Amino acid sequence: EIMKSVKIVGQTWMVENLNVDKFRNGDIIPEVKTNEEWMRIGDEGKPAWCYYENKKENGAIYGKLYNWYAVNDPRGLAPEGWRIPSKEDWNMLTKFVGSTGMVGKKLKSTAYWKSPNAGATNDYNFSFMPGGQRHPLGNFIQFGESGVFWTTTVGGLTNSASSPTFDNATSTAIAYDQTMSSGRSVRCVRDKTEEIKAVFNAISVKIGNQEWTASNLDVSRFRNGDPIFEAKTNEEWKRAGEEKKPA
């Protein structure tokens, strides 16, 4: 399946919420409908998903809501070639967009949110959707008013994970620690190995005993997958040089 995506500051992000019902290895992820079952499976630390208010038609626009145990399952929730973002990925995106006070405005979809959808411009075509949430007790809340997606980063509170949160009333988006048994949306980023694959597939030419790439290097990550800072302004370039940091 081809996923719609957009490249922002060297990272390729999905521009739609995840809507899969199987792990990468093909195992089925349980769909949980009742409040009692949602509570029980959360207490047991087992993976689950649902549609908002158990309505299948919501999946086509808003994707599924997953608990964090599905996100963290070793069988892999993200499709082949993708991964669940970390809080570090989110921080990198926020830093590029400008600030936590502007990121909601610039990354939210201009449609589907309830009024006022404060200042939404969707500048980078990230198109984040107000898919609402499922409370650990099983009730559905804030459809059209909030959009929240999981990261892989464990939070500082007991049984919590970091979760960027958007809402219709402000232009902010802040990563809060949220209970792992909550149901939230999932966005994926392109896997690091996919991002650097171009290096190994580069067109090359052999001269004598040496093999050279036939084009100039065009990568945004180190070999281990860490992002390389993109310096755009004269000030950023100068500062990176003075601090002896890669750019």
Side-chain angles (χ1 to χ4, degrees):
E1 183 180 358
I2 298 175
M3 302 291 181
K4 295 178 182 178
S5 62
V6 62
K7 195 160 189 174
I8 307 173
V9 67
Q11 295 175 311
T12 301
W13 289 81
M14 284 183 184
V15 296
E16 51 194 353
N17 293 344
L18 196 63
N19 191 26
V20 300
D21 59 6
K22 295 179 182 178
F23 289 113
R24 192 181 302 174
N25 72 348
D27 288 351
I28 298 293
I29 308 167
E31 178 184 9
V32 175
K33 292 185 175 182
T34 68
N35 291 0
E36 293 74 22
E37 193 179 2
W38 185 265
M39 263 182 68
R40 180 184 57 78
I41 210 162
D43 289 342
E44 294 173 357
K46 293 179 179 179
W49 68 268
C50 63
Y51 295 115
Y52 191 91
E53 291 186 339
N54 299 314
K55 296 177 180 177
K56 187 175 181 179
E57 59 269 27
N58 285 330
I61 298 175
Y62 304 98
K64 292 178 171 63
L65 299 176
Y66 301 88
N67 65 19
W68 192 80
Y69 303 110
V71 168
N72 195 50
D73 195 285
R75 291 171 287 182
L77 179 62
E80 191 70 36
W82 296 87
R83 62 182 174 84
I84 309 298
S86 65
K87 188 177 181 180
E88 180 183 352
D89 292 313
W90 168 249
N91 289 342
M92 182 178 174
L93 181 61
T94 300
K95 184 175 181 181
F96 176 78
V97 170
S99 68
T100 54
M102 296 296 290
V103 68
K105 168 185 175 180
K106 294 184 177 183
L107 298 182
K108 285 190 296 184
S109 170
T110 55
Y112 300 106
W113 289 82
K114 291 181 179 179
S115 181
N117 196 15
T121 57
N122 200 22
D123 289 354
Y124 301 98
N125 296 314
F126 191 78
S127 303
F128 197 65
M129 304 292 287
Q133 310 173 46
R134 191 169 193 177
H135 192 276
L137 297 180
N139 50 309
F140 295 95
I141 56 173
Q142 298 179 331
F143 188 70
E145 299 174 355
S146 77
V148 190
F149 69 88
W150 285 118
T151 74
T152 57
T153 305
V154 174
L157 304 176
T158 303
N159 295 326
S160 72
S162 184
S163 188
T165 303
F166 298 71
D167 70 80
N168 65 319
T170 70
S171 59
T172 63
I174 300 173
Y176 295 105
D177 288 351
Q178 305 283 2
T179 305
M180 291 175 175
S181 54
S182 303
R184 303 182 186 282
S185 301
V186 169
R187 283 289 178 105
C188 299
V189 291
R190 199 74 173 146
D191 192 275
K192 292 178 181 179
T193 56
E194 294 293 325
E195 287 289 315
I196 64 175
K197 191 178 285 185
V199 178
F200 302 102
N201 293 336
I203 299 172
S204 62
V205 60
K206 197 163 187 176
I207 305 173
N209 294 323
Q210 296 177 318
E211 189 169 2
W212 291 76
T213 57
S215 57
N216 292 342
L217 197 62
D218 185 23
V219 299
S220 59
R221 292 180 180 271
F222 291 109
R223 190 179 302 170
N224 70 350
D226 289 347
I228 306 167
F229 175 68
E230 180 185 7
K232 290 187 173 182
T233 68
N234 293 353
E235 292 74 20
E236 287 178 335
W237 187 262
K238 181 180 177 185
R239 184 173 70 252
E242 290 173 346
E243 295 175 357
K244 295 182 171 59
K245 293 182 177 179

